[in-house]
Amino acid sequence: MAHFHDVDRYTTPPEISDIEAMAREAMATIPQQMRNMLNNVSVQVEDFPEDEVVEEMGLESPFDLLGLYRGVSLLEKSTGDSATLPDTVHLFRRPILDYWAESGEDLREVVAHVIIHEIGHHFGFSDEEMERIEEGRPPRG
């Protein structure tokens, strides 16, 4: 059985490094055929989205966004695309912790849900397909 990051030990809020560890664990649960196509996608954990993102998305508060996919989806990429900045999944620690505290869900599951949802955008998956991935089933079929 895989050893997962121990979130039960916290007496203070998990740090960025803790969320990064949970994100790596979540990435390991993604079906292998998808992981093989994610070599240029990086995960970055920050406390909050940048002010420009909050403004651009019309959010009432920076706490309204748990994660964000930045890059070109596989549906839009062409074989002729030259090397560009790597696509990035941004996770926002403080909104994730806020959601975790309010929901009572397992923090690892919250992080995994956000990762899968944002990577799902990369693949152009529907919400239903992302649910299948979270349940450990193939996205299509």
Side-chain angles (χ1 to χ4, degrees):
M1 178 164 174
H3 174 69
F4 289 108
H5 200 69
D6 181 14
V7 294
D8 300 324
R9 66 176 172 80
Y10 292 110
T11 55
T12 59
E15 302 286 332
I16 284 177
S17 60
D18 298 315
I19 303 295
E20 288 171 341
M22 287 178 242
R24 283 192 301 275
E25 292 165 5
M27 291 289 282
T29 68
I30 292 170
Q32 187 63 46
Q33 80 258 25
M34 287 175 60
R35 265 202 324 261
N36 292 343
M37 298 163 66
L38 289 173
N39 54 358
N40 289 332
V41 177
S42 68
V43 177
Q44 186 171 342
V45 181
E46 302 148 45
D47 273 330
F48 285 107
E50 294 175 353
D51 291 342
E52 297 80 37
V53 171
V54 173
E55 210 171 285
E56 175 186 314
M57 297 187 76
L59 304 174
E60 289 183 26
S61 159
F63 280 97
D64 291 345
L65 190 63
L66 304 182
L68 178 67
Y69 175 83
R70 279 286 167 108
V72 181
S73 80
L74 290 179
L75 299 177
E76 298 169 1
K77 283 189 177 175
S78 72
T79 54
D81 284 347
S82 59
T84 58
L85 291 175
D87 293 351
T88 305
V89 172
H90 297 269
L91 298 180
F92 304 115
R93 184 182 77 96
R94 296 283 307 278
I96 286 173
L97 295 181
D98 196 55
Y99 177 85
W100 171 53
E102 287 180 13
S103 72
E105 293 177 33
D106 183 284
L107 183 56
R108 287 178 294 271
E109 291 177 15
V110 172
V111 171
H113 175 81
V114 175
I115 287 273
I116 288 168
H117 187 82
E118 297 308 327
I119 287 174
H121 290 308
H122 176 68
F123 286 95
F125 289 152
S126 68
D127 287 338
E128 293 80 23
E129 288 171 313
M130 286 186 248
E131 282 176 30
R132 290 178 63 86
I133 294 165
E134 286 186 82
E135 293 166 1
R137 297 183 292 151
R140 295 186 172 108

